Amino acid sequence: MSERIHASYFIETPYPVEQAIDVMAGEQSSGTFTRLASETDDLRANHGAVVEHIERLDSVDVPSLPIRPPKARDGTPLYQRAKVTLSWPMANFGPSLPNLLSTVAGNLFELKEFSALKLLDLTLPTDFARRYPSPQFGIAGTRQLSGVPDRPLIGTIIKPSVGLSPQATAETVRQLVEGGIDFIKDDELQSNGPHNPLKSRVDAVMPIIREHAERTGRQVMYAFNITGDIDEMIENHDYVAAAGGTCVMVAIQSVGLSGVAHLRRHCRLALHGHRAGWGLFSRSPYIGMSYIAYQKLWRLAGVDHLHVNGLRNKFTEDDASVIASARSCLTPMFDPPTPGCEVMPVFSSGQTADQAVDTYQAIGSTDLIFCAGGGIMAHPGGIGAGVRSLRQAWDAAVAGITLDDHAIDHPELAQALEAFR
Amino acid sequence: MSERIHASYFIETPYPVEQAIDVMAGEQSSGTFTRLASETDDLRANHGAVVEHIERLDSVDVPSLPIRPPKARDGTPLYQRAKVTLSWPMANFGPSLPNLLSTVAGNLFELKEFSALKLLDLTLPTDFARRYPSPQFGIAGTRQLSGVPDRPLIGTIIKPSVGLSPQATAETVRQLVEGGIDFIKDDELQSNGPHNPLKSRVDAVMPIIREHAERTGRQVMYAFNITGDIDEMIENHDYVAAAGGTCVMVAIQSVGLSGVAHLRRHCRLALHGHRAGWGLFSRSPYIGMSYIAYQKLWRLAGVDHLHVNGLRNKFTEDDASVIASARSCLTPMFDPPTPGCEVMPVFSSGQTADQAVDTYQAIGSTDLIFCAGGGIMAHPGGIGAGVRSLRQAWDAAVAGITLDDHAIDHPELAQALEAFR
């Protein structure tokens, strides 16, 4: 078992690569701008970050991010790109998620040596899995709570995002549960605002969910968005639990790593992680963090579900990135693997029956939540037909049948393909 | 008093500007990709984000961030830039910091309509100041705790960042307090690691601070870095307080907004906010958040001090940005102003006596913490001379005397200018 933390980065620098990376390793461990007498060889050996690997890539004439130009050595500088891996001893900060973040994604982003610096991946010792409880329910637990043993959970998001009263929300929920939905979530904009307070929403929604569960033996999972201050989240979690709910949701970046890990330690329900604000990390190729690294932090903090967009989504993210993200959620993150550390990827944004086969072929798993908005609500046959069209599409995907072939004797699927393709 | 939240953005889009901004306003309030029947005119009027202002700027031929190209209307698209202001009713999410963040800095960063989107500023109703306690000590309280009534607090950061034992830390502290320092902080990489646990560090450092305070009547402020999990931070805060400490520090982004606000509600000490990771928001001109907006979030969450870099620093940030950041910390953030909401800007990174006059002339205030590492530790006359050189430099700045003139009869300043210029 490795006792060091490894992090890999994409970098671009107008300085000699080894020199720039030494600055980066120094800044994030025992070094500073000037070598101090107290930074002894022993101290460096025990606490300095180690440059494990450098892979030189291409170079460019123009810096990718604004940078103070270095003093010209031989005319115009070239900006050399590279992939580098650094490692740190566990002794520096122990298995602490917030302090891991300060180290691998802290001051280094501001270093004058770099015109690009993006965190690509993290490899962590299993000490982290011992300190942090990781997902409580994960894939198996989510399936058990929602009574869906194998296929994807078919889900939706209450829309309009904000503005509905608790009663109007409950009326939408009634239609959805009668239509056969597995999973419903609040929008990330709908938390505990004065026009639709969380407790009033729970009071309005849960009787419908419970009554349906008593009648059918299967409880629809509703992810109540409890994003808020710490005490407020704990109180609202308890309220959802007392009302018989099975899931709460948080906007993970809005709450922060310490807050999500704290909520998880208290949590008795599935914890649905929304990544609102993710574009800050992902939009520029030259600054930020890959989802591969990002999702490890939040899995350790203890979410059970994590958003990944969806194929042919309405945002800027391309399909290859969506698939890599979803696979990362389903991949063990320690060596040896710790059981149950995988989380359910949540597909959403412009999803309809049309994406089911391609999604299944790309990730080879049904361990996911497949959220459709218009793909359900705007189905020509109504909400129930919308839900059935998605189940039919996933049946086809798993059976290896094309959507068009399956649509021949599945009219709801046929209608969905007609309407949404 | 405004009952709406305003946020302004820099944007760039290949679509007609008004159309792109309508998508942005819709995505962050009541709209979704397709107009739903339940999104009634009443609901839109009460909950929709309003486009308050559009100022068209230049246009460019090439998108600043990767973007899925729109279907060509008339050949190659132009990417139009603009400054826009949106507003939201308080009814949508109430005065909640994490939900404010989900709204003004959430999904919108990922919209396919934009090849640049940066949050520039926020204007908030005073409801936020009523819900969040804001700085507890701020400028006046920090001065009182540290016994420095007017001039800047002269500070330093313990180096090497990591690797010192508690005893070696205490030995450095002893030299610094004897040298006349006002403020000492842990590095953001030094929190509660196994080689230097927080409690052991407190045990080693605080007797020296207390003994010096008893002897001189003035207690040096030591910002202990308690960044960690929520319960750990509360426990370590209490430990620092019980030992007679006056300040704790957190890496604000590593902890997150909900965690910092929670700590503040419990906190009895000055709360020092380190912005490790700030480069994620600042490095690209095309994605992220200005410091003007950023610092408002953390002031409301309740920090008393906030880092701003320094003039001629060793990172990429230019002087104009540093000055704008420092001024923002000292500017009231509500209309009418709420007393005590200002925080002390913390200058650091490559600071020596040489930057004092320029800093004072640029911000016109001594309400700041001026941290020097090498500028103190590497002074030819030793630590005490380093501290005196900084005090002398600030005396000159406030008196309107040039550093060179003041150096004539202040040998420590003369040595500093000789060594560090």
Side-chain angles (χ1 to χ4, degrees):
Chain A
M1 179 184 46
S2 165
E3 286 302 325
R4 294 182 74 85
I5 293 134
H6 288 72
S8 60
Y9 299 87
F10 168 77
I11 59 122
E12 179 187 290
T13 178
Y15 297 88
V17 170
E18 287 74 11
Q19 176 189 326
I21 295 171
D22 279 348
V23 171
M24 182 180 167
E27 171 67 20
Q28 295 308 124
S29 64
S30 62
T32 182
F33 296 114
T34 44
R35 178 81 181 259
L36 302 173
S38 49
E39 190 191 348
T40 60
D41 289 344
D42 263 9
L43 188 145
R44 273 172 77 92
N46 291 328
H47 298 283
V50 170
V51 180
E52 300 279 353
H53 187 71
I54 300 177
E55 178 191 347
R56 294 169 80 91
L57 305 170
D58 59 328
S59 61
V60 289
D61 293 333
V62 177
S64 297
L65 294 176
I67 183 173
R68 205 180 295 155
K71 290 185 182 77
R73 293 183 307 274
D74 316 292
T76 311
L78 272 183
Y79 294 83
Q80 177 69 44
R81 294 173 169 177
K83 190 176 158 184
V84 305
T85 303
L86 303 186
S87 75
W88 290 262
M90 282 294 285
N92 282 23
F93 49 89
S96 165
L97 277 178
N99 290 299
L100 169 70
L101 196 63
S102 297
T103 300
V104 301
N107 276 356
L108 79 179
F109 288 120
E110 289 187 70
L111 287 170
K112 73 167 171 26
E113 280 74 12
F114 297 98
S115 49
L117 198 151
K118 192 149 189 166
L119 176 62
L120 300 179
D121 202 356
L122 281 173
T123 309
L124 302 172
T126 47
D127 290 355
F128 277 90
R130 279 191 286 275
R131 167 137 162 201
Y132 290 94
S134 301
Q136 182 170 197
F137 293 94
I139 296 162
T142 296
R143 289 195 174 290
Q144 191 166 16
L145 286 172
S146 60
V148 180
D150 38 33
R151 59 181 175 74
L153 272 68
I154 304 300
T156 197
I157 302 150
I158 298 287
K159 297 282 179 183
S161 310
V162 288
L164 293 180
S165 65
Q167 291 67 33
T169 305
E171 176 51 31
T172 305
V173 169
R174 192 186 58 71
Q175 296 174 38
L176 288 163
V177 300
E178 288 178 3
I181 200 101
D182 301 314
F183 177 88
I184 307 171
K185 66 179 279 296
D186 285 330
D187 193 89
E188 85 278 4
L189 300 174
Q190 183 65 276
S191 178
N192 196 18
H195 75 297
N196 189 341
L198 188 281
K199 288 179 182 172
S200 304
R201 194 158 70 252
V202 172
D203 290 346
V205 165
M206 279 311 298
I208 293 166
I209 303 258
R210 284 198 309 262
E211 188 278 326
H212 177 263
E214 281 158 23
R215 187 153 42 86
T216 63
R218 205 169 62 83
Q219 177 162 336
V220 171
M221 178 174 276
Y222 190 108
F224 287 98
N225 181 9
I226 61 168
T227 301
D229 297 339
I230 300 285
D231 291 340
E232 179 189 17
M233 288 193 293
I234 299 290
E235 182 180 328
N236 284 335
H237 161 275
D238 293 351
Y239 198 82
V240 173
T246 55
C247 186
V248 289
M249 157 180 161
V250 286
I252 52 180
Q253 279 166 231
S254 302
V255 166
L257 210 40
S258 297
V260 171
H262 183 76
L263 177 62
R264 163 64 182 87
R265 289 182 196 280
H266 178 85
C267 200
R268 290 182 283 144
L269 311 175
L271 189 49
H272 185 90
H274 193 284
R275 64 177 190 178
W278 161 243
L280 281 167
F281 298 83
S282 63
R283 278 301 298 273
S284 170
Y286 306 116
I287 191 78
M289 192 186 292
S290 79
Y291 191 81
I292 310 301
Y294 178 87
Q295 53 91 29
K296 291 185 182 178
L297 299 172
W298 298 107
R299 280 164 66 179
L300 273 171
V303 299
D304 294 295
H305 314 147
L306 261 177
H307 280 246
V308 296
N309 261 333
L311 296 187
R312 304 190 282 283
N313 63 73
K314 303 294 184 79
F315 292 110
T316 46
E317 189 172 3
D318 64 31
D319 289 353
S321 171
V322 172
I323 292 304
S325 296
R327 283 185 177 156
S328 71
C329 292
L330 296 169
T331 303
M333 60 180 287
F334 294 104
D335 181 19
T338 56
C341 200
E342 297 76 39
V343 292
M344 267 196 162
V346 182
F347 286 73
S348 70
S349 177
Q351 300 302 288
T352 71
D354 187 44
Q355 285 102 324
V357 167
D358 296 339
T359 303
Y360 183 69
Q361 288 188 348
I363 72 163
S365 174
T366 57
D367 288 335
L368 57 96
I369 301 176
F370 195 80
C371 287
I376 290 175
M377 307 297 282
H379 190 284
I383 288 175
V387 173
R388 283 192 295 281
S389 75
L390 290 164
R391 286 211 202 176
Q392 291 161 2
W394 275 94
D395 287 344
V398 173
I401 305 170
T402 68
L403 288 173
D404 290 307
D405 283 350
H406 204 61
I408 294 171
D409 50 2
H410 292 89
E412 294 91 346
L413 177 57
Q415 279 182 300
L417 297 179
E418 168 88 17
F420 301 126
R421 252 184 185 165
Chain B
M1 179 184 46
S2 164
E3 287 302 325
R4 295 182 75 84
I5 292 133
H6 288 71
S8 60
Y9 299 86
F10 168 76
I11 59 120
E12 180 187 291
T13 179
Y15 297 87
V17 171
E18 287 75 10
Q19 175 190 326
I21 295 170
D22 279 347
V23 171
M24 181 179 167
E27 171 66 20
Q28 296 307 125
S29 64
S30 61
T32 183
F33 296 113
T34 42
R35 179 79 181 258
L36 301 174
S38 48
E39 191 191 349
T40 60
D41 289 345
D42 262 11
L43 188 146
R44 272 172 78 92
N46 291 329
H47 298 282
V50 170
V51 180
E52 299 279 353
H53 187 71
I54 301 176
E55 178 190 346
R56 294 169 80 90
L57 305 170
D58 59 328
S59 61
V60 289
D61 293 332
V62 177
S64 296
L65 294 176
I67 183 173
R68 205 179 297 157
K71 291 188 180 75
R73 294 182 307 274
D74 315 292
T76 311
L78 271 183
Y79 294 84
Q80 177 69 44
R81 294 173 168 176
K83 190 177 158 183
V84 304
T85 304
L86 303 186
S87 75
W88 290 262
M90 283 294 284
N92 282 22
F93 50 90
S96 166
L97 278 178
N99 290 299
L100 170 69
L101 196 62
S102 297
T103 300
V104 301
N107 276 356
L108 79 180
F109 288 120
E110 290 187 70
L111 287 170
K112 74 167 170 29
E113 280 73 13
F114 298 98
S115 50
L117 197 152
K118 191 150 189 165
L119 175 63
L120 300 179
D121 202 357
L122 280 173
T123 309
L124 302 173
T126 48
D127 290 354
F128 277 90
R130 279 191 287 275
R131 167 136 163 203
Y132 289 94
S134 301
Q136 182 170 197
F137 294 93
I139 296 162
T142 297
R143 290 194 173 289
Q144 192 167 14
L145 287 173
S146 60
V148 180
D150 39 35
R151 59 180 175 76
L153 272 67
I154 304 300
T156 197
I157 302 150
I158 298 286
K159 297 282 179 182
S161 309
V162 288
L164 293 180
S165 65
Q167 291 67 34
T169 306
E171 178 50 31
T172 305
V173 169
R174 191 187 58 72
Q175 295 174 39
L176 288 163
V177 301
E178 287 177 4
I181 199 99
D182 302 315
F183 177 88
I184 307 170
K185 65 179 282 295
D186 285 329
D187 192 88
E188 85 279 4
L189 300 174
Q190 182 64 274
S191 178
N192 196 19
H195 74 297
N196 189 339
L198 188 281
K199 288 179 182 172
S200 305
R201 193 158 71 251
V202 171
D203 290 346
V205 164
M206 280 311 299
I208 294 167
I209 303 257
R210 285 197 309 262
E211 187 279 326
H212 176 262
E214 281 158 22
R215 188 154 42 86
T216 63
R218 204 169 63 80
Q219 177 161 335
V220 171
M221 179 173 276
Y222 190 108
F224 287 98
N225 181 9
I226 61 167
T227 301
D229 297 339
I230 299 285
D231 291 340
E232 178 189 17
M233 288 195 292
I234 299 290
E235 181 180 330
N236 284 335
H237 162 276
D238 292 352
Y239 199 83
V240 173
T246 56
C247 186
V248 289
M249 158 179 160
V250 286
I252 52 181
Q253 279 165 231
S254 302
V255 167
L257 210 40
S258 297
V260 172
H262 184 76
L263 177 62
R264 163 65 182 85
R265 289 183 195 279
H266 177 86
C267 198
R268 291 181 284 143
L269 309 175
L271 189 51
H272 186 88
H274 193 285
R275 64 176 189 178
W278 161 241
L280 281 168
F281 298 84
S282 63
R283 278 301 299 274
S284 170
Y286 307 116
I287 191 79
M289 192 186 294
S290 79
Y291 191 81
I292 310 302
Y294 178 86
Q295 52 93 30
K296 290 184 182 178
L297 299 172
W298 299 106
R299 280 163 68 179
L300 273 171
V303 299
D304 295 294
H305 315 147
L306 260 177
H307 280 245
V308 297
N309 259 333
L311 296 186
R312 305 190 282 282
N313 63 73
K314 303 295 184 78
F315 291 111
T316 44
E317 189 172 3
D318 65 31
D319 289 353
S321 170
V322 172
I323 292 304
S325 296
R327 282 185 177 155
S328 71
C329 292
L330 297 168
T331 303
M333 60 180 284
F334 294 104
D335 181 19
T338 55
C341 200
E342 297 76 38
V343 292
M344 267 195 162
V346 182
F347 286 72
S348 71
S349 176
Q351 301 300 287
T352 72
D354 187 45
Q355 286 101 323
V357 167
D358 296 339
T359 302
Y360 183 69
Q361 288 188 349
I363 72 162
S365 175
T366 57
D367 289 335
L368 57 96
I369 301 177
F370 195 80
C371 287
I376 290 175
M377 307 297 284
H379 190 283
I383 287 175
V387 172
R388 284 192 294 282
S389 76
L390 289 164
R391 287 211 202 173
Q392 292 161 2
W394 275 95
D395 288 345
V398 173
I401 305 170
T402 68
L403 288 173
D404 290 307
D405 283 351
H406 203 62
I408 293 170
D409 51 1
H410 291 88
E412 293 92 345
L413 177 58
Q415 281 182 300
L417 297 179
E418 169 87 17
F420 302 127
R421 252 183 187 166

